[in-house]
Amino acid sequence: MTTATKHISFNEALPALFGAQFSANGWFAGREAALQQFLALGGIPTVKVEDWKYTNVVPFFKNDIQITLPEVPEVTAAQLEAAATLIPDAHRLVLVNGVLQQHLSQLPPAAQVTVSRLSEAGTQPAVELYFNQSPKINEHHFAQLNSALFNDGLFIEVKAKAIVEQPIQVIHLYAAGQSRLFNPRHLVVVNEGASVQIVESAAGLGLTDTVVINSVTESIVAERAQLSQYQLQTGGNQLRFINQNLVEQKGKSLYNNYTFTLTDSDFVRNNLNISLDEERTETHMYGFYIAAGTQVIDNHTSVDHRMPHCESNELYRGVLLDKATGVFNGKIYVHEDAQKTNAFQQNNNLVISPEATLFTKPQLEIFADDVKCSHGCTIGQVSEDALFYLRARGIGEAEARNLLVKAFAFDITAKVTIPAVRKHVEQIASQYLNA
């Protein structure tokens, strides 16, 4: 007679895996509380959780996935150049398995920007004030998992009134010999009157198994400050991404977010939460993705208008090919005190393949009576009238269709203010559309 082996889920195995290595690791004393909050939320979310209704992540978290503190292999400049696209005329921060590598980095001037490993920044006043304080962090399953398990990441603080002319490129490199969960954690603080652009990308180094990147970035934009963040998700078929960016804006600040998902990864989830905490803030969010094969690309955004005279503008576009799945859930909350709010949200989608699937849900919740708010979405195929127009002028059907899809996509890239980033994104998008 044989006895069946009981399968232990990731949620059941996690407390034992957590162990002393995390509960006593570093300066952050909230790991145990974060672990308990994660388990109280139900652990790894299933499709029964509303925010994960269309995306099943349970199969990615088997109980044999490694969560131990990762080793940091040595990486050469040649490996960096081969793995990542280096932006010219930019400062460069290179992380390997979440740990800053000084010998590969080109730091911005110390007089303008403080850059350090998060594990070494626990006594910094900005870290004590802002770390793990974002209003909605307790609501996110994977943010709590990150708070319990993170080992390192970046602390970036732009000093008051500093204007950082060159963008800061952050390159995340990951290396592992088996299935692993990485939990990088970052804090970005842009002080009063300062301005900076941050461009992030990720790549794998000799990965032999699929790994999950569960990252959390908390971003603070102080009064009259400006922050532009670019997420270039353009590589890594062995990487699966769960990205969570929690942004707090103070009075008269400007925040821009650009998220481009053009990757071979089979799963990408982006959570972008923005809280407009003081009057006269301005927010712009632009997103574009191409999903092919059996990929799942899931974008969730939320904007909290808490105070009067604030403006937000959101435009996301997606192109779905083959048997891919796209998800967009955009929420705008206008609180009772947020009179004179101006909020716009639009989600446009091209579903090229009849076997592709799209779920889109733009939402508005308004509790103020003197506002201008609108939202909407479109789902369609290439316009037959436009296609006929181009074909009537001697352009072949395949080329004409490709031109129309590119025009649809590049309307988003036209918003990019860094020429090298725009060129890079358009080149990769063209490769996908021409395939």
Side-chain angles (χ1 to χ4, degrees):
M1 181 178 178
T2 59
T3 303
T5 302
K6 182 179 182 296
H7 173 72
I8 301 175
S9 70
F10 178 85
N11 295 339
E12 293 172 315
L14 182 58
L17 295 172
F18 180 74
Q21 64 172 321
F22 289 106
S23 59
N25 180 40
W27 48 269
F28 179 55
R31 293 180 182 274
E32 182 67 38
L35 175 66
Q36 296 307 317
Q37 176 66 8
F38 170 74
L39 296 174
L41 289 171
I44 301 299
T46 69
V47 293
K48 294 181 180 180
V49 177
E50 182 64 26
D51 277 353
W52 293 88
K53 184 176 180 179
Y54 304 111
T55 305
N56 183 14
V57 292
V58 174
F60 301 154
F61 290 87
K62 300 177 181 178
N63 64 336
D64 59 349
I65 190 170
Q66 295 294 308
I67 68 167
T68 55
L69 294 173
E71 298 178 354
V72 182
E74 185 157 345
V75 175
T76 66
Q79 287 177 296
L80 168 64
E81 192 166 348
T85 299
L86 306 182
I87 297 174
D89 302 319
H91 307 294
R92 184 186 309 152
L93 307 179
V94 180
L95 290 79
V96 177
N97 290 354
V99 180
L100 178 65
Q101 304 298 297
Q102 294 277 357
H103 69 288
L104 296 174
S105 301
Q106 299 173 1
L107 274 61
Q112 291 186 315
V113 186
T114 298
V115 175
S116 72
R117 293 172 56 179
L118 184 63
S119 61
E120 298 174 349
T123 59
Q124 293 280 349
V127 176
E128 294 179 347
L129 184 61
Y130 295 119
F131 183 79
N132 207 50
Q133 297 299 314
S134 296
K136 288 197 171 185
I137 197 166
N138 289 334
E139 301 176 13
H140 290 288
H141 296 69
F142 287 105
Q144 292 305 301
L145 184 63
N146 178 284
S147 294
L149 301 180
F150 79 91
N151 69 299
D152 213 337
L154 274 179
F155 169 60
I156 300 175
E157 182 176 14
V158 184
K159 298 183 179 181
K161 299 182 180 179
I163 307 300
V164 185
E165 297 290 347
Q166 294 183 332
I168 299 174
Q169 183 180 16
V170 181
I171 301 171
H172 304 276
L173 301 178
Y174 296 98
Q178 56 189 316
S179 178
R180 176 179 284 281
L181 172 65
F182 290 98
N183 294 277
R185 183 63 171 260
H186 315 294
L187 176 63
V188 177
V189 178
V190 185
N191 282 304
E192 183 177 353
S195 176
V196 68
Q197 298 181 92
I198 298 176
V199 182
E200 293 190 65
S201 61
L205 289 175
L207 295 174
T208 57
D209 204 345
T210 303
V211 300
V212 178
I213 313 300
N214 174 36
S215 68
V216 171
T217 301
E218 292 177 277
S219 303
I220 312 300
V221 192
E223 187 172 354
R224 290 186 170 86
Q226 297 184 18
L227 170 62
S228 294
Q229 289 182 318
Y230 293 80
Q231 286 279 346
L232 306 185
Q233 300 163 346
T234 58
N237 62 351
Q238 298 282 34
L239 303 177
R240 291 168 175 155
F241 297 97
I242 301 173
N243 297 306
Q244 295 149 111
N245 194 357
L246 301 110
V247 182
E248 294 180 57
Q249 286 187 252
K250 306 303 180 182
K252 301 178 183 177
S253 65
L254 170 64
Y255 175 74
N256 300 310
N257 183 279
Y258 306 81
T259 301
F260 297 104
T261 307
L262 306 164
T263 176
D264 294 330
S265 173
D266 61 356
F267 168 66
V268 177
R269 166 67 175 249
N270 295 309
N271 281 345
L272 175 60
N273 296 90
I274 304 175
S275 181
L276 285 63
D277 294 337
E278 296 180 7
E279 293 189 33
R280 303 189 185 281
T281 60
E282 185 177 345
T283 308
H284 300 274
M285 297 159 284
Y286 303 106
F288 175 69
Y289 71 88
I290 298 176
T294 57
Q295 284 181 297
V296 178
I297 309 297
D298 186 343
N299 287 294
H300 272 58
T301 68
S302 72
V303 181
D304 272 288
H305 284 267
R306 299 181 180 276
M307 298 299 288
H309 301 285
C310 295
E311 178 180 348
S312 68
N313 174 57
E314 179 175 13
L315 178 58
Y316 269 65
R317 288 188 174 179
V319 176
L320 286 92
L321 311 169
D322 306 321
K323 297 181 180 180
T325 299
V327 181
F328 174 81
N329 189 311
K331 301 177 183 178
I332 297 176
Y333 300 91
V334 182
H335 294 256
E336 188 174 357
D337 292 335
Q339 303 294 342
K340 303 296 183 180
T341 288
N342 187 1
F344 169 80
Q345 180 192 85
Q346 184 70 29
N347 175 228
N348 304 121
N349 304 276
L350 277 181
V351 183
I352 305 298
S353 168
E355 296 181 280
T357 306
L358 175 71
F359 302 96
T360 179
K361 187 180 180 182
Q363 296 175 262
L364 276 175
E365 292 190 23
I366 302 173
F367 299 96
D369 54 16
D370 187 7
V371 301
K372 292 182 180 179
C373 299
S374 66
H375 69 163
C377 69
T378 61
I379 304 170
Q381 297 178 327
V382 174
S383 167
E384 292 299 325
D385 290 340
L387 196 61
F388 176 80
Y389 177 88
L390 292 175
R391 292 188 67 190
R393 280 147 183 80
I395 301 175
E397 181 176 357
E399 184 181 357
R401 190 177 299 274
N402 203 20
L403 285 172
L404 292 173
V405 175
K406 283 184 179 180
F408 173 82
F410 292 173
D411 189 40
I412 298 292
T413 60
K415 311 293 185 182
V416 174
T417 60
I418 303 174
V421 171
R422 177 177 178 177
K423 180 180 178 181
H424 176 58
V425 171
E426 291 184 351
Q427 284 177 340
I428 294 179
S430 295
Q431 291 172 8
Y432 274 91
L433 297 174
N434 291 333

